[in-house]
């Protein structure tokens, strides 16, 4: 089984400290990431450049994908509210290793752009280019749903399980009904990244397993992608893997293979030829 992490960060500098719970280190290189991936049995990973603390992280990610094409690909971004950047989206995937676009839109200021018209051009342009777009849509589910409904040919990805980013345990699942209802839209998928963060109970995070099961049942194995956001996790990389491969009794066989990498690669068009892990 090929194991593909749906989200990692690498960076070369910290202009500002890494956000939230991310490791407070000055840099985290592609080679350091690969070492941890090898130890955990992970074949490949999708890099999300952390522009908020390293403005050069996009170039760093593309360089990693060029150097290790069988290990890394990239979900890039640019400042979408700057008119001069609109030309960038055409031919975006011509950059070797580039798979699509990702904006976290974590802050209130960033989310205002969803409502003031600054980003309205992005969705039809990405739809036309066939670019998947990932966002922390759990912070603005109604707006996320509206975008998905208005652009049915735009592949959208909900980051970090689509849950309440600011809550843990039961508080993480406060909008679960609204979240699983999104699964009725065939152009919406979900990255089950960062799942351990939502539990305060420690491995194997039993108190969030039922909630994850309900999300999986709604979206199915081809739209539910395992991943880590490893530099923000409180558990080991290997535990992030085995939480899904060994601790979820409802995830087996071909479904497990889809969740652990095949579904992600199909969704974003990553024609990955990975080496076999031991």
């Amino acid at each position: 089984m090929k194991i593909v992490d749906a989200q990692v960060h690498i960076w070369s500098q910290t202009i500002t400290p890494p956000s939230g719970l991310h490791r407070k280190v000055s840099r985290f290189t592609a080679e350091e990431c690969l070492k941890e991936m090898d130890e955990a049995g992970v074949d490949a990973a999708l890099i999300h450049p952390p522009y908020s603390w390293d403005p050069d992280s996009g170039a760093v990610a593309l360089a990693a994908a060029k150097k290790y094409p069988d290990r890394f690909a990239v979900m890039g971004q640019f400042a979408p509210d700057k008119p001069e950047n609109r030309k960038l989206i055409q031919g975006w995937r011509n950059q070797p290793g580039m798979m699509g676009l990702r904006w976290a839109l974590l802050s209130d200021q960033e989310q205002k752009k969803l409502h003031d018209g600054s980003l309205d051009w992005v969705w039809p342009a990405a739809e036309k280019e066939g670019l998947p777009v990932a966002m922390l849509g759990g912070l603005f589910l109604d707006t996320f749903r509206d975008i998905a409904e208005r652009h049915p040919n735009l592949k959208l990805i909900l980051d970090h399980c689509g849950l309440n980013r600011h809550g843990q345990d039961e508080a993480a699942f406060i909008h679960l009904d609204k979240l699983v209802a999104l699964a009725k839209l065939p152009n919406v998928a979900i990255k089950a990244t960062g799942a351990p963060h939502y539990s305060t109970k420690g491995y194997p995070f039993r108190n969030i397993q039922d909630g994850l099961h309900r999300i999986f049942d709604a979206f199915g194995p081809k739209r539910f992608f395992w991943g880590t956001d490893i530099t923000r996790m409180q558990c080991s990389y290997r535990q992030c893997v085995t939480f899904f491969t060994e601790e979820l009794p409802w995830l087996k066989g071909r479904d497990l293979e889809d969740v652990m990498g095949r579904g992600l690669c199909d969704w974003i068009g990553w024609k990955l030829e990975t080496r076999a892990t031991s």
Side-chain angles (χ1 to χ4, degrees):
M1 177 174 63
K2 296 175 181 178
I3 297 179
V4 183
D5 193 332
Q7 180 171 329
V8 300
H9 299 303
I10 60 173
W11 60 95
S12 61
Q13 60 184 328
T14 52
I15 300 300
T16 59
S19 62
L21 298 174
H22 280 286
R23 300 175 192 176
K24 301 304 185 281
V25 296
S26 61
R27 64 177 188 169
F28 184 61
T29 67
E31 287 72 23
E32 289 173 309
C33 188
L34 286 172
K35 183 176 184 293
E36 295 190 20
M37 288 164 59
D38 288 341
E39 291 170 352
V42 175
D43 288 281
L46 188 59
I47 302 171
H48 294 48
Y51 289 93
S52 61
W53 66 82
D54 180 4
D56 295 333
S57 57
V60 171
L62 285 171
K66 182 178 180 180
K67 187 175 182 180
Y68 306 104
D70 62 335
R71 308 300 302 278
F72 291 125
V74 183
M75 290 289 277
Q77 64 169 272
F78 49 81
D81 55 338
K82 293 184 177 181
E84 64 269 25
N85 285 344
R86 295 191 178 193
K87 61 185 179 183
L88 296 177
I89 207 165
Q90 187 172 1
W92 184 249
R93 280 192 62 148
N94 292 339
Q95 303 172 88
M98 185 63 74
M99 294 291 111
L101 294 160
R102 192 258 184 167
W103 290 283
L105 304 178
L106 269 169
S107 70
D108 291 341
Q109 183 177 3
E110 289 176 312
Q111 289 170 37
K112 285 180 181 178
K113 297 174 184 177
L114 288 166
H115 308 291
D116 67 9
S118 299
L119 305 185
D120 287 354
W121 72 273
V122 171
W123 323 123
E127 186 177 31
K128 182 179 180 180
E129 285 290 304
L131 294 172
V133 178
M135 294 181 283
L136 263 170
L139 298 173
F140 42 88
L141 277 179
D142 290 336
T143 303
F144 189 95
R145 183 183 188 104
D146 181 60
I147 295 168
E149 289 178 334
R150 285 189 290 113
H151 302 282
N153 294 315
L154 173 62
K155 285 188 171 182
L156 289 166
I157 304 172
L158 281 161
D159 288 340
H160 298 333
C161 304
L163 297 175
N164 172 26
R165 167 76 173 225
H166 304 302
Q168 291 181 291
D169 304 326
E170 290 184 6
F173 295 87
I174 55 174
H175 57 227
L176 185 58
D177 288 344
K178 187 179 290 188
L179 171 64
V180 297
L182 271 171
K184 295 179 181 178
L185 301 176
N187 60 323
V188 175
I190 195 159
K191 286 189 326 196
T193 46
H197 159 78
Y198 293 113
S199 174
T200 64
K201 303 303 182 183
Y203 187 87
F205 318 113
R206 289 191 175 87
N207 67 320
I208 64 170
Q209 291 187 18
D210 287 346
L212 292 176
H213 192 183
R214 189 172 167 198
I215 298 168
F216 168 81
D217 277 349
F219 283 86
K222 296 189 180 300
R223 291 192 291 145
F224 183 83
F225 315 138
W226 171 84
T228 66
D229 200 15
I230 189 58
T231 51
R232 195 171 56 86
M233 292 299 97
Q234 75 273 29
C235 62
S236 73
Y237 209 150
R238 185 60 188 165
Q239 285 176 321
C240 287
V241 174
T242 58
F243 176 39
F244 273 63
T245 61
E246 298 179 9
E247 302 295 342
L248 304 180
W250 39 268
L251 191 56
K252 302 293 182 185
R254 291 189 61 84
D255 286 355
L256 179 62
E257 293 176 9
D258 282 334
V259 168
M260 297 306 293
R262 185 167 55 205
L264 171 69
C265 291
D266 289 347
W267 188 263
I268 65 174
W270 188 1
K271 300 186 185 306
L272 181 63
E273 295 295 335
T274 58
R275 75 207 186 345
T277 52
S278 56

